[in-house]
Amino acid sequence: MSTRNERMDKMVVEAEAKMNGLFCTMLEYLHTLHNAFPKESLYLELLAKTYLEAGRNEEALEYCSKALKINPAACKDMKNLLNLDILS
């Protein structure tokens, strides 16, 4: 019989796997949308935010930079976060 901690650990592992699957699915959809509408900065901005929230800061910076090339007003709420992260 498993202990309470073992059951909780298993639940955490299952939740992390589910979140990872959702993350991958979301990225897949956002990349599909970006490929369908390459001149639209919104999808690049959403990719940047998604990567930033996942702690993948280099990818976040890459997609934010691409969004800024299309729309200089893009990523306005992320610029400070990205700058702080680059400096640290």
Side-chain angles (χ1 to χ4, degrees):
M1 188 163 166
S2 64
T3 67
R4 182 174 187 267
N5 286 344
E6 289 171 337
R7 288 192 308 267
M8 288 176 63
D9 289 346
K10 183 181 177 191
M11 290 172 61
V12 168
V13 168
E14 289 172 356
E16 287 174 346
K18 189 171 191 172
M19 289 300 294
N20 189 41
L22 292 172
F23 174 74
C24 292
T25 300
M26 184 166 39
L27 287 178
E28 200 175 298
Y29 283 123
L30 289 172
H31 280 287
T32 299
L33 286 165
H34 168 60
N35 290 334
F37 305 99
K39 295 184 189 248
E40 180 62 53
S41 66
L42 173 64
Y43 305 115
L44 291 167
E45 195 170 348
L46 290 171
L47 280 162
K49 287 180 183 180
T50 302
Y51 281 118
L52 187 65
E53 288 178 14
R56 293 173 59 176
N57 299 343
E58 287 184 27
E59 289 101 330
L61 183 59
E62 175 188 342
Y63 285 101
C64 187
S65 296
K66 289 179 181 181
L68 287 168
K69 287 179 184 175
I70 294 170
N71 177 6
C75 299
K76 62 183 173 191
D77 57 334
M78 292 178 50
K79 287 179 190 173
N80 288 337
L81 289 173
L82 288 167
N83 286 334
L84 287 174
D85 186 66
I86 291 167
L87 296 174
S88 58

